């Protein structure tokens, strides 16, 4: 019988790397967004690893700079062009960002309470989502969030 020890070590290394978003948490993010969408008569979204990677990159650059902005590290339009070229979506894409909320439930509640962010959460035709959070304990915000949602 072979041991799965190297796999376990790799998993632990990933979990404890900076900016890691656990798969269970990522699924929870998609589930929470889907529940909100279903409550408003819209279909669920599923987690997309390409979108999660884009969200993680945005959350990391915001955490590194301590800045909450769609433009830090490049514009969302630039990120969308790259996603479109990769075939990650057809025509619709939106981004929600935020900081200062330590849990996803707090972050998504703020997005629900903001007209523009809510519009993105409830985007008609959306089917995929990626969400990421990155900690920066030296920043007054402490945690930075990014979400990308597409058709």
């Amino acid at each position: 019988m072979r041991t799965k020890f190297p796999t376990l070590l790799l998993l632990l290394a990933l979990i404890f790397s900076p900016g890691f978003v656990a798969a269970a948490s990522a699924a929870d993010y998609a589930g929470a967004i889907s529940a909100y969408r279903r409550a408003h008569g819209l279909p669920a979204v599923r987690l997309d690893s390409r979108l999660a990677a884009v969200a993680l990159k945005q959350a990391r650059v915001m955490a590194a700079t301590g800045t909450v902005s769609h433009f830090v590290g490049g514009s969302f339009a630039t990120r969308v062009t790259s996603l479109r070229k990769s075939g990650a979506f057809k025509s619709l894409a939106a981004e929600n960002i935020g900081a200062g909320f330590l849990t996803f439930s707090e972050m998504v509640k703020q997005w629900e309470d903001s007209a523009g962010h809510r519009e993105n959460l409830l985007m008609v035709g959306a089917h995929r989502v990626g969400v990421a959070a990155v900690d920066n304990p030296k920043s007054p915000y402490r945690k930075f969030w990014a979400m990308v949602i597409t058709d």
Side-chain angles (χ1 to χ4, degrees), residues 5-49:
F5 188 68
T7 305
L8 177 61
L9 286 177
L10 177 61
L11 179 60
L12 289 172
L14 285 172
I15 289 171
F16 291 105
S17 8
F20 175 76
V21 177
S25 294
D28 292 344
Y29 299 156
I33 293 167
S34 292
Y36 183 71
R37 290 176 56 80
R38 283 192 301 270
H40 290 84
L42 294 168
V45 290
R46 71 180 184 279
L47 184 64
D48 183 289
S49 61

Side-chain angles (χ1 to χ4, degrees), residues 67-141:
T67 305
V68 184
S69 170
H70 292 282
F71 300 100
V72 66
S75 71
F76 182 60
T78 302
R79 292 187 295 280
V80 166
T81 300
S82 176
L83 282 170
R84 184 172 284 132
K85 286 179 182 178
S86 75
F89 74 100
K90 296 174 188 168
S91 62
L92 301 172
E95 177 181 67
N96 282 0
I97 59 172
F101 298 93
L102 299 183
T103 67
F104 184 66
S105 60
E106 293 170 323
M107 185 71 260
V108 81
K109 175 69 172 123
Q110 189 279 329
W111 288 340
E112 291 169 2
D113 292 342
S114 162
H117 293 106
R118 181 176 50 253
E119 184 178 327
N120 291 342
L121 289 169
L122 299 176
M123 182 169 57
V124 174
H127 297 289
R128 292 177 289 178
V129 69
V131 179
V134 176
D135 294 323
N136 178 351
K138 294 179 181 177
S139 165
Y141 292 114

